[in-house]
């Protein structure tokens, strides 16, 4: 057999082998409860792009399923998890399970990154500091003051106002709920409500003036904003975790390895930090 024919055979064998590997790659569907425009989605898409560059055994896909306070994503995950031909994992906050009356004990989760919250007023408000806000809420300028929350939101927003009311005896403050985060933010910009909680994500803070942080320490992006801990407000450290959530124990090792790889990727870590989030250690 000539050397030329041998080379051709080797090329064909390698081609066939690589094609077989491509055809037998396992799909990993990551079902996201976040909207397409969310920074959490942007980070996930970047992470998946990086994973697909480096993992020859699996093909990673993002399945966008926002809406209905996470129910659409949960239902999609349950439907996908019945298939043995792929791995499915939910990408969300564990809080959505509680909001949808799911049995949390049946799920496992791996935290990826987290973000905290700010107490905010409109950027056009004459209130410049948290001390200004407390003085205003204790004044007699209005019979009732309003704190806004989104319908079906996580428990953090309620916990924030509960702590503030208890610590400062804010008897005149009432909660008003809006259908969406957009409606909520529009209401505070129109001065329909006095203050709101908002995630520590730069894009979410547009048009708002942060005046108090729920983090343990001050943020690099907003170093002048004090924390509730500094002001000795009891039980005022609140954050939300973005996680991989799943039920199938047989996939646990793989999902943990994916998470570890993502959190060691410099491109992804840089994007997490630019969006005001903290990578899980």
């Amino acid at each position: 057999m000539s050397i030329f024919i041998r080379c051709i055979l080797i090329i064909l064998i390698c081609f066939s082998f690589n094609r077989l590997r491509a055809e037998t790659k396992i799909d990993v569907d990551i079902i996201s409860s976040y909207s397409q425009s969310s920074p959490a989605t942007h980070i996930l898409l970047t992470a998946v792009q990086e994973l697909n560059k480096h993992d020859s055994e699996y093909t990673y896909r993002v399945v966008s399923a926002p809406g209905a306070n996470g129910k659409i994503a949960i239902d999609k995950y349950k439907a996908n998890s019945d298939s043995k031909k792929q791995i499915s994992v939910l990408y969300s906050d564990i809080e959505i399970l509680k909001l949808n009356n799911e049995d949390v004990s049946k799920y496992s989760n791996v935290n990826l990154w987290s973000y905290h919250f700010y107490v905010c007023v409109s950027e056009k408000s004459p209130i410049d500091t948290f001390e200004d806000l407390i003085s205003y809420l204790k004044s007699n300028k209005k019979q009732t003051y309003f704190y806004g929350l989104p319908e079906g939101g996580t428990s953090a927003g309620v916990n924030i106002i509960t702590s503030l009311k208890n610590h400062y005896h804010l008897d005149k403050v009432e909660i008003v709920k809006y259908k969406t985060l957009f409606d909520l933010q529009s209401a505070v910009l129109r001065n329909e409500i006095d203050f709101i909680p908002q995630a520590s994500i730069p894009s979410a803070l547009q048009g708002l003036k942060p005046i108090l942080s729920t983090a343990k320490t001050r943020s690099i992006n907003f170093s002048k904003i004090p924390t509730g801990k500094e002001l000795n407000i009891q039980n005022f450290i609140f954050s939300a975790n973005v996680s991989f959530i799943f039920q199938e124990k047989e996939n646990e090792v793989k999902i943990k390895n994916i998470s570890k790889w993502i959190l060691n990727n410099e491109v992804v870590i840089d994007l997490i930090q630019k969006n005001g989030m903290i990578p899980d250690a």
Side-chain angles (χ1 to χ4, degrees):
M1 185 182 295
S2 69
I3 295 175
F4 175 76
I5 294 174
R6 287 180 182 179
C7 290
I8 294 296
L9 286 173
I10 291 170
I11 291 170
L12 288 173
I13 289 169
C14 290
F15 176 79
S16 299
F17 178 72
N18 289 331
R19 184 176 179 181
L20 180 63
R21 286 187 66 183
E23 289 175 351
T24 57
K25 287 177 75 171
I26 299 171
D27 290 333
V28 179
D29 279 359
I30 304 175
I31 301 164
S32 173
S33 69
Y34 299 100
S35 69
Q36 292 279 12
S37 59
S38 166
T41 299
H42 186 199
I43 294 169
L44 177 62
L45 290 170
T46 301
V48 164
Q49 187 178 41
E50 291 294 304
L51 281 164
N52 282 326
K53 286 180 186 177
H54 296 90
D55 196 331
S56 60
E57 293 183 58
Y58 296 85
T59 299
Y60 299 87
R61 303 183 301 195
V62 175
V63 180
S64 182
N69 298 322
K71 188 176 188 323
I72 294 173
I74 292 171
D75 290 346
K76 180 67 175 174
Y77 165 75
K78 287 180 177 179
N80 275 28
S81 62
D82 292 336
S83 172
K84 300 301 179 185
K85 296 181 180 179
Q86 62 189 36
I87 295 174
S88 288
V89 61
L90 188 60
Y91 174 75
S92 190
D93 183 339
I94 198 76
E95 284 275 339
I96 72 161
L97 300 177
K98 300 173 186 176
L99 286 172
N100 288 280
N101 299 314
E102 290 285 323
D103 185 351
V104 179
S105 66
K106 292 182 179 180
Y107 292 82
S108 299
N109 70 292
V110 180
N111 291 339
L112 298 169
W113 38 85
S114 63
Y115 55 91
H116 58 276
F117 299 89
Y118 286 110
V119 174
C120 298
V121 295
S122 167
E123 65 179 358
K124 296 180 180 179
S125 170
I127 294 170
D128 290 320
T129 66
F130 181 67
E131 289 76 12
D132 291 344
L133 176 66
I134 295 302
S135 297
Y136 172 67
L137 297 176
K138 286 189 168 187
S139 72
N140 294 318
K141 292 182 179 180
K142 292 170 64 175
Q143 187 174 355
T144 305
Y145 299 91
F146 297 108
Y147 171 84
L149 287 174
E151 288 183 358
T154 61
S155 59
V158 174
N159 292 336
I160 288 169
I161 191 58
T162 300
S163 293
L164 292 179
K165 288 182 76 170
N166 290 339
H167 189 83
Y168 292 100
H169 307 291
L170 303 175
D171 301 325
K172 296 180 181 180
V173 176
E174 292 185 5
I175 294 174
V176 182
K177 292 192 175 183
Y178 290 81
K179 287 186 178 181
T180 68
L181 286 169
F182 176 79
D183 293 336
L184 173 65
Q185 192 159 338
S186 296
V188 75
L189 295 178
R190 292 194 303 267
N191 294 317
E192 289 179 12
I193 50 179
D194 298 291
F195 62 121
I196 63 172
Q198 187 57 285
S200 60
I201 300 169
S203 59
L205 294 168
Q206 292 180 5
L208 299 175
K209 187 190 301 181
I211 55 176
L212 183 69
S213 168
T214 69
K216 292 180 182 178
T217 58
R218 294 195 184 199
S219 166
I220 296 174
N221 295 330
F222 296 94
S223 59
K224 294 182 180 180
I225 308 303
T227 67
K229 184 179 179 181
E230 289 176 48
L231 302 181
N232 297 314
I233 305 172
Q234 292 184 347
N235 305 316
F236 203 74
I237 297 174
F238 303 110
S239 63
N241 293 312
V242 179
S243 307
F244 282 152
I245 304 167
F246 56 97
Q247 287 183 317
E248 298 78 10
K249 287 295 181 183
E250 64 268 25
N251 294 334
E252 184 169 5
V253 173
K254 177 59 184 175
I255 292 170
K256 285 185 175 179
N257 286 339
I258 294 170
S259 306
K260 185 177 180 180
W261 191 93
I262 289 173
L263 292 172
N264 280 288
N265 182 278
E266 292 183 3
V267 175
V268 179
I269 292 299
D270 182 59
L271 192 56
I272 293 169
Q273 293 172 337
K274 283 181 178 177
N275 279 279
M277 302 187 191
I278 302 170
D280 198 75

